[in-house]
C-alpha cells in the first residue's frame, strides 16, 4: 500500500513533495487540532530517516475512501519539541519498577549492572515509541490558474480528519528544497537565487551522514529590492557575509534588467570597517572584486591613482558644490542651537534660488557667498588655484573698498559685478563690516539684505549686535577634513549619478573620526533623498536604489524616530515610495524603532545573546519559537530567514561569500 495516501499518482503534490525520493515515512498523527499536532514515531523510523531534529519540517497527509475529493492536501508541520503519549506513563512505571527490583536483588548493585539490563524485545519495542509536538504551519494543496495546476499554500487548516488516517513524512532533498523555497501564490514574478541550504540544528552529524544537508534554499531576489531587510545578530555571526551575498545577487539582477532594456539597480554601501571595499582572508574577495567598471569606491585620502577610487571630499569654494558644502556645514553646526548667528548662517541662501530671472536674489546671494568664502579662508580652508569671487557691487563702492585695503581696483566681472581676488577676500569683507559699523551709506546699502547679514558674524568673529566677539569662523575649523581644493565635481551628486547608472558605490569610512563619518554619511543620504524626491514629485519614476547600513540601532533609535527632520528617519519613512531598498544590520533588536521593524519585509536572524533582544524579536512572526535555538547556537551563518514572498520562517545555513560567487556575477555582467 502506498504511504502517500490521499494524493493521486502524478499529481503536483505527489511529484513535488511526496515522491519516494523526496520524503521518508516517519510516523502517524497521534493527536491533531487546528494549531497543533502530536506525531507518533519510533526510534528506528527516526534513525532510518536521518534523525528528526527540533524545528524539522514534517508533512502529514490523509485518505478517506468515501470522500476521495476532500483529502488531496498535505499539512505542513514544524517540530517544536516532545509530547507525552497515552501509555507512556505506564511504560515508565513498569521500567521504574523493574529497576527497583533489580537493585534490591542484584549481588552487585552498581549502576552498570542495574541500569544496563536488557529489556525483553516486546517491552523495548513498546518503549521506543515517542511523541513529537508539532506546530501546524498550514496546508499545501493544488489549484488551477491559467489552465495550469500549481502548488498552493494556505497558512491554516480548513478541516481535519480522524488522526488515525494521517501518515507523516519527513521531506528530504528536492522535496525539502521545494518547501524551503516556496513562494506565496500572489508573489510577483521574479528570479529565484540560492542563498544557502536548510539547516535545522547546530549539530549536523546525522544530516551529513544521511546526505540530507544540501537542500537548497532559494529566495526571490526582488523581495530585497525596494524593501527593508533586517540583518540581526551578534558580531561575527555572519551578517556581513549575508549582506555581501544579497548585494552580489542584486547586482546580477541589475545586469539582467540592463540587458532587458530596463533601468539598472544602484547600490549604496556605507562601509565603516572597510570590509566591503577591501578583500579579506575569510571571504577571499570583497564586493569591490566585481570590477572597476561596476564598482566605485569613495574614501578619504584617495589620490586618483585608481580611476574607480575617488576622494571622499568636496571643494567648498566651488559654486557647483555649494549645496553639498552647506549640507555638511548644517550637519556639523546644527547642534549649536543656542547660537542664533550660527543658525542664521546655516539657513542662508547662497545660490539665489532656481529662478534664473530673479536677478535681485542672485545679486544678494553673491554677497552672501563673499561672506561664506571669507569665513572658510579665515578657518584655514585652502582655496583652489586662481580662486576669486564674483560679487554684485556698485563700482563706486568697489573702488572705495579697494582703496581702503590698499589694493588695485577690483576688475569688472560682468554687468554690476566685480571680481575680488582670493588673497583680498578676507580684507574686503572685514573692511565692508567696518564701514557698516561706521554707518557708511554705501556699505549699509551693500549689506542690507539677509544673505550678507547672516554671514557677517561668522566671517568677522564679531557679534552683529555689537555685543562682543563670537567664535564665528572658528566653528568651521573641524570641517577642513572634508575639503579638497582639487575636487571639481560635487561628491554627493557624483555618487547619485553613479547609482542611477546601476553601479555599486562603496563609501569607505574606516578612516576618519566618528563625527566625520556621521556627517559625510548624512550629507550623501540627504542629497540622495532630495534628488529622488524631486524625481517623484515631478511625476517621474525613480530608479531603484539599495542602501546598506551598519549599526542601525544608532540610526533608527526610538527617540530619534520622533524627529521627522532627521535624515535617517526620513530614509526609513520615505524609502518605499521612492523605490529605495534598505539593508540594515544590528545586534540590538530593541535599539531599532518599532515602526522600522514593523515595516521590514525580510528578516535574517543569526545568533543573539540575550533574552531581552529575543523577547523583542518574538513580537514579529513566530520567531519566538526559535528563541532558545537562536540563543544557544553561535555558528556563523546559521540564520532563521523570513522573506516577503515566503509564508513561513526557514532555518538556513547561508552559503559562504567567496570568489566563485564574484566570478559568477562578473560572467553575467559580461553577458556570458
Amino acid at each position: 500500500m502506498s504511504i502517500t495516501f490521499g494524493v493521486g499518482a502524478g499529481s503536483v503534490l505527489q511529484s513535488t513533495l511526496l515522491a519516494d525520493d523526496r520524503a521518508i515515512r516517519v510516523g502517524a498523527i497521534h493527536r491533531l487540532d487546528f494549531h497543533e499536532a502530536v506525531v507518533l514515531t519510533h526510534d528506528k523510523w527516526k534513525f532510518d530517516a536521518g534523525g528528526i531534529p527540533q524545528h524539522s519540517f514534517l508533512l502529514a497527509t490523509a485518505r478517506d475512501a468515501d470522500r476521495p475529493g476532500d483529502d488531496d492536501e498535505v499539512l505542513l508541520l514544524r517540530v517544536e519539541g516532545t509530547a507525552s503519549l497515552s501509555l507512556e506513563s505506564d511504560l515508565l512505571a513498569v521500567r521504574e519498577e523493574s529497576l527497583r527490583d533489580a537493585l534490591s536483588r542484584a549481588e552487585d548493585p552498581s549502576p552498570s549492572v542495574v541500569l544496563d539490563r536488557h529489556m525483553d524485545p516486546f517491552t523495548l519495542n513498546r518503549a521506543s515509541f515517542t511523541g513529537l509536538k508539532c506546530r501546524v504551519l498550514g496546508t499545501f494543496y493544488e489549484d488551477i490558474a491559467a489552465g495550469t495546476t500549481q502548488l498552493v499554500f494556505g497558512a491554516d487548516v480548513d478541516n481535519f480528519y480522524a488522526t488515525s488516517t494521517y501518515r507523516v513524512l519527513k521531506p528530504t532533498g528536492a522535496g525539502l528544497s521545494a518547501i524551503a523555497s516556496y513562494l506565496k501564490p500572489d508573489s510577483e514574478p521574479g528570479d529565484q537565487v540560492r542563498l544557502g541550504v536548510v539547516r535545522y540544528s547546530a549539530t549536523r552529524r546525522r544530516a551529513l551522514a544521511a546526505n540530507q544537508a544540501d537542500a537548497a534554499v532559494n529566495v526571490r531576489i526582488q523581495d530585497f529590492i525596494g524593501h527593508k531587510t533586517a540583518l540581526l545578530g551578534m558580531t561575527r555571526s555572519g551578517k556581513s557575509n549575508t549582506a555581501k551575498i544579497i548585494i552580489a545577487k542584486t547586482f546580477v539582477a541589475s545586469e539582467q534588467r540592463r540587458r532587458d532594456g530596463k533601468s539598472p539597480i544602484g547600490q549604496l554601501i556605507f562601509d565603516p570597517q572597510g570590509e566591503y571595499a577591501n578583500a579579506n582572508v575569510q571571504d577571499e574577495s570583497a564586493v569591490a572584486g566585481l570590477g572597476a567598471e561596476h564598482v566605485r569606491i569613495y574614501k578619504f585620502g584617495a589620490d586618483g591613482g585608481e580611476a574607480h577610487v575617488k576622494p571622499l571630499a568636496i571643494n567648498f569654494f566651488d559654486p557647483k558644490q555649494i549645496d553639498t558644502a552647506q549640507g555638511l556645514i548644517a550637519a556639523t553646526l546644527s547642534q549649536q542651537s543656542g547660537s542664533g548667528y550660527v543658525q542664521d548662517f546655516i539657513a542662508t541662501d547662497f545660490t539665489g534660488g532656481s529662478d534664473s530671472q530673479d536677478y535681485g536674489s542672485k545679486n544678494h546671494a553673491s554677497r552672501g557667498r563673499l561672506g561664506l568664502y571669507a569665513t572658510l579662508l579665515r578657518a584655514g580652508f585652502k582655496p583652489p588655484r586662481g580662486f576669486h569671487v564674483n560679487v554684485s557691487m556698485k563700482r563706486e563702492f568697489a573702488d572705495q573698498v579697494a582703496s581702503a585695503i590698499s589694493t588695485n581696483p577690483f576688475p569688472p566681472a560682468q554687468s554690476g559685478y566685480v571680481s575680488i581676488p582670493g588673497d583680498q577676500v578676507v580684507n574686503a569683507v572685514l573692511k565692508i563690516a567696518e564701514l557698516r559699523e561706521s554707518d557708511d551709506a554705501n556699505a549699509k546699502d551693500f549689506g542690507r539684505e539677509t544673505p550678507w547679514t547672516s554671514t557677517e558674524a561668522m566671517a568677522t568673529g564679531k557679534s552683529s549686535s555689537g555685543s562682543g566677539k563670537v567664535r564665528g569662523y572658528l566653528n568651521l575649523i573641524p570641517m577642513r577634513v572634508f575639503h579638497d581644493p582639487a575636487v571639481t565635481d560635487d561628491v554627493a551628486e557624483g555618487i547619485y549619478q553613479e547609482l542611477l547608472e546601476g553601479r555599486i558605490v562603496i563609501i569607505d569610512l574606516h578612516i576618519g573620526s566618528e563625527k566625520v563619518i556621521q556627517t559625510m554619511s548624512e550629507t550623501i543620504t540627504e542629497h540622495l533623498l532630495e534628488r529622488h524626491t524631486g524625481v517623484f514629485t515631478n511625476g517621474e519614476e525613480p530608479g531603484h536604489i539599495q542602501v546598506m547600513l551598519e549599526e542601525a540601532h544608532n540610526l533608527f533609535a526610538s527617540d530619534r524616530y520622533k524627529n521627522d527632520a532627521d535624515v535617517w528617519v526620513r530614509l526609513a519613512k520615505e524609502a518605499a515610495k521612492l523605490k529605495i531598498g534598505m539593508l540594515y544590520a544590528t545586534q540590538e533588536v530593541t535599539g531599532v524603532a518599532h515602526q522600522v521593524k514593523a515595516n521590514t519585509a525580510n528578516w535574517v536572524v543569526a545568533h543573539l545573546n540575550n533574552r531581552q533582544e529575543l523577547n523583542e524579536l518574538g513580537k514579529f512572526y513566530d520567531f519566538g519559537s526559535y528563541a532558545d535555538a537562536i540563543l544557544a547556537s553561535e555558528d556563523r551563518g546559521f540564520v532563521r530567514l523570513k522573506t516577503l514572498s515566503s509564508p513561513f520562517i526557514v532555518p538556513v545555513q547561508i552559503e559562504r561569500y567567496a570568489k566563485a560567487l564574484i566570478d559568477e556575477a562578473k560572467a553575467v555582467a559580461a553577458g556570458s
Side-chain angles (χ1 to χ4, degrees):
M1 182 177 291
S2 170
I3 63 172
T4 57
F5 292 100
V7 182
S11 70
V12 174
L13 282 168
Q14 167 70 22
S15 61
T16 304
L17 301 178
L18 303 173
D20 290 342
D21 60 345
R22 291 178 175 241
I24 302 173
R25 177 75 181 276
V26 294
I29 293 290
H30 179 65
R31 186 172 66 251
L32 177 67
D33 62 26
F34 288 104
H35 304 289
E36 187 176 278
V38 174
V39 172
L40 176 68
T41 187
H42 190 276
D43 289 346
K44 185 177 189 313
W45 302 341
K46 289 184 288 185
F47 179 85
D48 291 343
I52 304 179
Q54 189 180 25
H55 302 129
S56 296
F57 291 123
L58 297 179
L59 300 172
T61 184
R63 177 178 184 273
D64 186 333
D66 296 329
R67 305 177 64 176
D70 199 30
D71 54 11
D72 286 338
E73 62 184 27
V74 176
L75 303 184
L76 178 63
L77 314 177
R78 184 178 65 213
V79 177
E80 298 288 318
T82 60
S84 298
L85 298 177
S86 303
L87 300 178
E88 188 170 324
S89 58
D90 294 339
L91 289 170
L92 289 174
V94 171
R95 173 65 169 161
E96 180 182 349
E97 181 60 29
S98 175
L99 293 175
R100 289 178 184 273
D101 183 68
L103 181 62
S104 63
R105 295 174 180 275
E107 295 182 6
D108 180 0
S110 64
S112 60
V113 171
V114 175
L115 297 177
D116 293 346
R117 293 180 64 201
H118 292 291
M119 287 186 184
D120 64 273
F122 179 76
T123 304
L124 178 62
N125 183 59
R126 295 189 68 190
S128 295
F129 282 96
T130 54
L132 299 173
K133 182 176 69 174
C134 300
R135 177 170 179 171
V136 179
L137 298 181
T139 307
F140 282 111
Y141 61 98
E142 296 178 3
D143 193 14
I144 298 177
T148 302
T149 302
Q150 61 181 2
L151 191 66
V152 179
F153 179 81
D156 55 18
V157 177
D158 62 355
N159 186 34
F160 65 88
Y161 300 111
T163 58
S164 61
T165 64
Y166 284 92
R167 309 307 192 256
V168 177
L169 304 96
K170 176 186 175 183
T172 61
L176 178 57
S177 180
I179 294 170
S181 306
Y182 179 80
L183 304 180
K184 298 174 185 176
D186 58 354
S187 300
E188 295 181 3
D191 302 317
Q192 281 193 278
V193 299
R194 179 181 170 120
L195 204 59
V197 297
V198 177
R199 179 177 182 179
Y200 291 130
S201 60
T203 303
R204 307 182 74 190
R205 184 178 72 87
R206 293 192 181 278
L208 292 169
N211 295 318
Q212 296 178 10
D214 60 351
V217 177
N218 300 314
V219 298
R220 179 180 177 272
I221 192 61
Q222 282 74 15
D223 286 350
F224 299 90
I225 299 169
H227 299 103
K228 292 184 182 67
T229 299
L231 304 174
L232 309 176
M234 299 302 298
T235 302
R236 309 305 298 169
S237 63
K239 297 192 300 295
S240 296
N241 177 76
T242 305
K244 292 174 185 177
I245 292 174
I246 294 174
I247 290 166
K249 302 289 188 180
T250 301
F251 169 76
V252 171
S254 174
E255 291 304 304
Q256 290 171 339
R257 285 175 59 90
R258 191 195 304 274
R259 190 179 306 164
D260 294 338
K262 301 177 182 178
S263 60
I265 303 163
Q267 299 189 72
L268 176 61
I269 304 169
F270 290 101
D271 187 6
Q273 304 299 326
E275 59 187 317
Y276 297 94
N278 305 290
N280 57 57
V281 175
Q282 174 187 340
D283 295 334
E284 301 178 19
S285 182
V287 172
L290 285 168
E293 66 272 32
H294 306 298
V295 180
R296 295 289 183 267
I297 300 172
Y298 286 78
K299 66 179 182 180
F300 294 110
D303 58 7
E306 298 177 275
H308 72 291
V309 181
K310 300 179 178 295
L312 189 59
I314 68 171
N315 182 353
F316 280 72
F317 294 95
D318 183 357
K320 299 192 303 293
Q321 303 180 52
I322 200 163
D323 286 338
T324 301
Q326 191 169 13
L328 279 168
I329 292 171
T332 304
L333 303 183
S334 59
Q335 297 179 355
Q336 301 183 27
S337 56
S339 303
Y341 76 94
V342 172
Q343 300 306 314
D344 291 342
F345 182 77
I346 292 173
T348 302
D349 178 10
F350 292 116
T351 64
S354 58
D355 185 356
S356 60
Q357 302 301 314
D358 189 355
Y359 298 111
S361 296
K362 300 291 185 186
N363 293 341
H364 294 305
S366 74
R367 298 170 187 177
R369 288 196 298 274
L370 178 64
L372 167 64
Y373 294 141
T375 303
L376 295 171
L377 290 167
R378 297 200 76 187
F381 286 67
K382 183 180 178 181
R385 188 186 303 272
F387 174 66
H388 61 277
V389 183
N390 292 336
V391 58
S392 173
M393 185 181 291
K394 292 180 180 179
R395 185 74 259 176
E396 177 186 352
F397 184 52
D399 291 342
Q400 178 185 352
V401 173
S403 176
I405 63 176
S406 302
T407 188
N408 296 324
F410 304 135
Q414 61 190 64
S415 178
Y417 277 66
V418 297
S419 177
I420 302 179
D423 60 354
Q424 295 299 326
V425 167
V426 172
N427 292 335
V429 167
L430 294 178
K431 179 53 65 175
I432 292 170
E434 181 183 324
L435 291 171
R436 277 169 45 78
E437 281 188 50
S438 65
D439 289 331
D440 179 88
N442 289 330
K444 286 286 187 180
D445 181 66
F446 175 85
R448 71 179 184 274
E449 298 292 338
T450 299
W452 172 266
T453 58
S454 60
T455 61
E456 192 173 62
M458 287 288 288
T460 63
K462 296 171 64 176
S463 171
S464 57
S465 64
S467 59
K469 293 183 177 181
V470 295
R471 280 184 53 82
Y473 58 87
L474 297 176
N475 289 295
L476 298 190
I477 291 177
M479 300 189 63
R480 291 190 305 215
V481 294
F482 297 117
H483 176 60
D484 184 344
V487 173
T488 58
D489 296 315
D490 184 339
V491 65
E493 179 62 18
I495 289 171
Y496 182 71
Q497 293 300 324
E498 297 282 11
L499 294 172
L500 294 183
E501 289 293 323
R503 292 191 175 90
I504 298 174
V505 178
I506 303 173
I507 312 299
D508 189 346
L509 299 169
H510 78 285
I511 299 176
S513 68
E514 182 176 347
K515 183 62 178 176
V516 168
I517 292 170
Q518 174 186 341
T519 304
M520 183 58 80
S521 300
E522 291 179 355
T523 300
I524 293 169
T525 305
E526 183 74 41
H527 187 81
L528 165 62
L529 285 173
E530 289 182 359
R531 294 287 275 116
H532 241 41
T533 299
V535 174
F536 179 79
T537 55
N538 286 334
E540 301 174 24
E541 192 79 6
H544 279 292
I545 293 176
Q546 300 288 103
V547 179
M548 170 67 204
L549 301 169
E550 297 277 357
E551 304 300 326
H553 52 275
N554 293 328
L555 308 178
F556 304 127
S558 297
D559 290 342
R560 189 168 187 169
Y561 202 78
K562 300 174 184 178
N563 180 11
D564 288 337
D566 185 277
V567 64
W568 303 114
V569 174
R570 286 183 57 205
L571 177 65
K573 290 183 176 181
E574 300 174 15
K577 72 177 182 181
L578 298 178
K579 292 193 173 181
I580 298 176
M582 192 168 70
L583 279 72
Y584 66 90
T586 181
Q587 59 189 14
E588 298 181 23
V589 185
T590 55
V592 177
H594 178 82
Q595 297 91 327
V596 176
K597 291 177 291 197
N599 287 285
T600 295
N602 309 293
W603 297 72
V604 184
V605 183
H607 167 64
L608 294 168
N609 68 355
N610 70 84
R611 288 288 177 184
Q612 183 179 1
E613 305 301 326
L614 291 168
N615 290 340
E616 179 65 19
L617 180 66
K619 297 176 182 178
F620 299 91
Y621 299 104
D622 58 342
F623 281 108
S625 298
Y626 290 92
D628 290 340
I630 292 172
L631 182 68
S633 175
E634 300 182 40
D635 297 57
R636 187 174 300 170
F638 183 15
V639 308
R640 284 76 191 172
L641 175 70
K642 172 67 177 73
T643 64
L644 178 64
S645 296
S646 173
F648 41 78
I649 297 170
V650 179
V652 182
Q653 176 62 47
I654 301 294
E655 68 181 22
R656 183 185 176 195
Y657 179 85
K659 186 175 181 297
L661 180 59
I662 292 291
D663 292 340
E664 177 185 342
K666 290 171 71 174
V668 172
S672 57

